[in-house]
Amino acid sequence: MRRFRKVLVWLLTPLKLAFALTLHWLAWLLYYADVSSKLSGLTANEMGGFLAGIAAPFAFLWLVIAVFLQRQQLSVRGEELRTSTEALKL
């Protein structure tokens, strides 16, 4: 039980970091949109490029976090399979 709790806390730490970075990025974007009045004068093509630039860091961050968490979950599962195999051998 102690090991499961330790793994659970360790898995949740990257999520907390990702949420904090996401909120920080959104706050910076809102500040930039408030300071810059040039956003209303953008054409559709320029607005699409701007929105793609906003979404790219989010997509990359959450992709890295998802891969990291999946790797950790597979590691835990592999350990469980090894222990159950050892228990069946006895």
Side-chain angles (χ1 to χ4, degrees), residues 29-80:
L29 287 173
L30 289 175
Y31 172 75
Y32 179 76
D34 188 40
V35 170
S36 175
S37 62
K38 297 177 184 178
L39 293 177
S40 62
L42 294 177
T43 63
N45 185 28
E46 293 169 338
M47 184 61 78
F50 178 72
L51 293 175
I54 289 172
F58 288 126
F60 184 71
L61 172 68
W62 286 102
L63 176 69
V64 169
I65 294 296
V67 169
F68 182 73
L69 289 175
Q70 189 175 34
R71 185 182 70 179
Q72 295 304 318
Q73 290 172 354
L74 286 173
S75 173
V76 169
R77 239 177 240 220
E79 183 64 32
E80 288 175 0

